[in-house]
Amino acid sequence: MTYPSTTERVKSWLEGSVLHICFNNPAKHNALSVDMWEAVPLLLDRAEKDDGVRMVVFSGAGEKAFVSGADISQFEDQRAAKEAVKKYEQMAEAALEGIYEFGKPTVAAINGYCIGGGVNVAISCDIRIATPNSVFSIPASRLGLGYRVSAMRNLTHLVGPGNAKDIFFTGRRFDAAEAQRIGLINRIASPGDLEPLLKEYTDAITTGAPLTIKAGKRIIREVLKPDADLDVEMCRRLILDCFESEDYAEGRRAFMEKRKPTFKGK
């Protein structure tokens, strides 16, 4: 499959079995415009159906920002009127939930500003890595915005309610070291070494057993639910699918033969 983007402000390309989605609005520090929000679900829907794609990486163009928030210049046209606000929120929610619900691993590679909508994109991903100079903030309280439940859910799951309130109530900026300490990001790259750290993840994930990773991602999401809502049968089916797969047989053979396994997701 090919992965043409619907806008030049989102670049997309395949690198082996990795789909890269790059926010490309560097003149505005990759602020998210309407066309950028709209492009993401279309790319993810295509990748979900493509067995050749093992994972997706999100990044920002240039050296200054991952995503610096929403494109404020569009607020008057897109968000001032009641119906426009509703449409904008539905569009952003579709993109963010599309990332969160995507069945394959997702990684946010963060360099520079990760503000507002940028944080929301990052916390919708499975894994977040960042450069030491990255800066984080959710400045909603400085703009008078209402914040969607899904974003609050993702933030609270990652950093806990105390840190979520700190970040949200104050709108303050904080650095990568604090982001890692509170659990917002997983790892910090050495200066200038974001690409090698990203390669470490893409190599590990794309050579792992796809069914096992898929099951793990889905079950981790499931166990975050209240016990009454936990779909135990679905979890058991996912686990059984792994044990009944050709990949499980390949993994056993490779272990006995002292070689690296070649998994096919079957």
Side-chain angles (χ1 to χ4, degrees):
M1 286 189 181
T2 58
Y3 286 85
S5 172
T6 54
T7 173
E8 63 182 13
R9 287 190 278 204
V10 173
K11 291 183 177 179
S12 54
W13 68 94
L14 273 177
E15 190 174 285
S17 56
V18 180
L19 174 62
H20 289 264
I21 298 177
C22 179
F23 300 108
N24 182 42
N25 192 9
K28 294 187 176 181
H29 293 166
N30 301 323
L32 290 165
S33 54
V34 169
D35 55 323
M36 295 165 77
W37 283 122
E38 289 176 333
V40 171
L42 298 175
L43 291 167
L44 292 178
D45 182 63
R46 195 170 183 83
E48 188 77 74
K49 300 169 184 174
D50 185 353
D51 291 339
V53 173
R54 296 282 184 92
M55 65 180 293
V56 175
V57 171
F58 289 89
S59 61
E63 299 298 320
K64 294 184 178 180
F66 174 66
V67 170
S68 63
D71 186 348
I72 300 294
S73 67
Q74 295 190 327
F75 274 26
E76 281 303 309
D77 292 333
Q78 303 291 340
R79 305 189 78 171
K82 186 175 180 179
E83 285 305 311
V85 170
K86 182 178 179 180
K87 181 179 179 180
Y88 186 96
E89 288 301 306
Q90 288 173 341
M91 179 180 50
E93 182 75 354
L96 294 170
E97 282 292 271
I99 298 170
Y100 181 78
E101 296 287 346
F102 187 65
K104 303 171 186 181
T106 52
V107 175
I110 302 162
N111 183 23
Y113 294 115
C114 183
I115 309 294
V119 174
N120 290 342
V121 170
I123 64 179
S124 297
C125 292
D126 298 311
I127 296 167
R128 289 149 298 283
I129 60 175
T131 56
N133 66 319
S134 295
V135 178
F136 302 83
S137 176
I138 299 178
S141 64
R142 298 289 175 253
L143 295 167
L145 299 175
Y147 234 61
R148 61 188 67 91
V149 173
S150 61
M152 290 298 205
R153 172 201 65 200
N154 295 344
L155 181 66
T156 305
H157 279 167
L158 283 175
V159 305
N163 287 319
K165 291 171 185 176
D166 179 348
I167 292 167
F168 191 78
F169 293 174
T170 66
R172 67 183 178 85
R173 294 189 175 190
F174 53 97
D175 61 16
E178 182 175 355
Q180 184 182 39
R181 179 177 62 78
I182 65 177
L184 188 70
I185 62 174
N186 298 88
R187 291 173 69 184
I188 301 172
S190 300
D193 283 345
L194 185 62
E195 285 301 318
L197 180 57
L198 178 60
K199 189 174 188 304
E200 179 184 326
Y201 277 96
T202 57
D203 286 350
I205 292 170
T206 57
T207 57
L211 292 177
T212 299
I213 293 172
K214 176 184 177 182
K217 174 169 179 170
R218 188 66 187 86
I219 292 169
I220 289 169
R221 187 186 308 158
E222 197 68 19
V223 299
L224 290 173
K225 297 178 180 179
D227 288 346
D229 297 331
L230 181 63
D231 190 342
V232 177
E233 278 306 310
M234 182 271 292
C235 294
R236 287 173 176 163
R237 287 197 303 273
L238 289 169
I239 294 167
L240 189 60
D241 286 346
C242 293
F243 282 117
E244 293 180 346
S245 69
E246 295 176 17
D247 279 353
Y248 178 53
E250 163 64 8
R252 296 198 314 272
R253 286 194 301 268
F255 179 80
M256 297 299 294
E257 296 167 7
K258 297 181 179 180
R259 61 173 175 83
K260 292 182 178 180
T262 301
F263 295 119
K264 299 179 179 179
K266 299 178 180 179

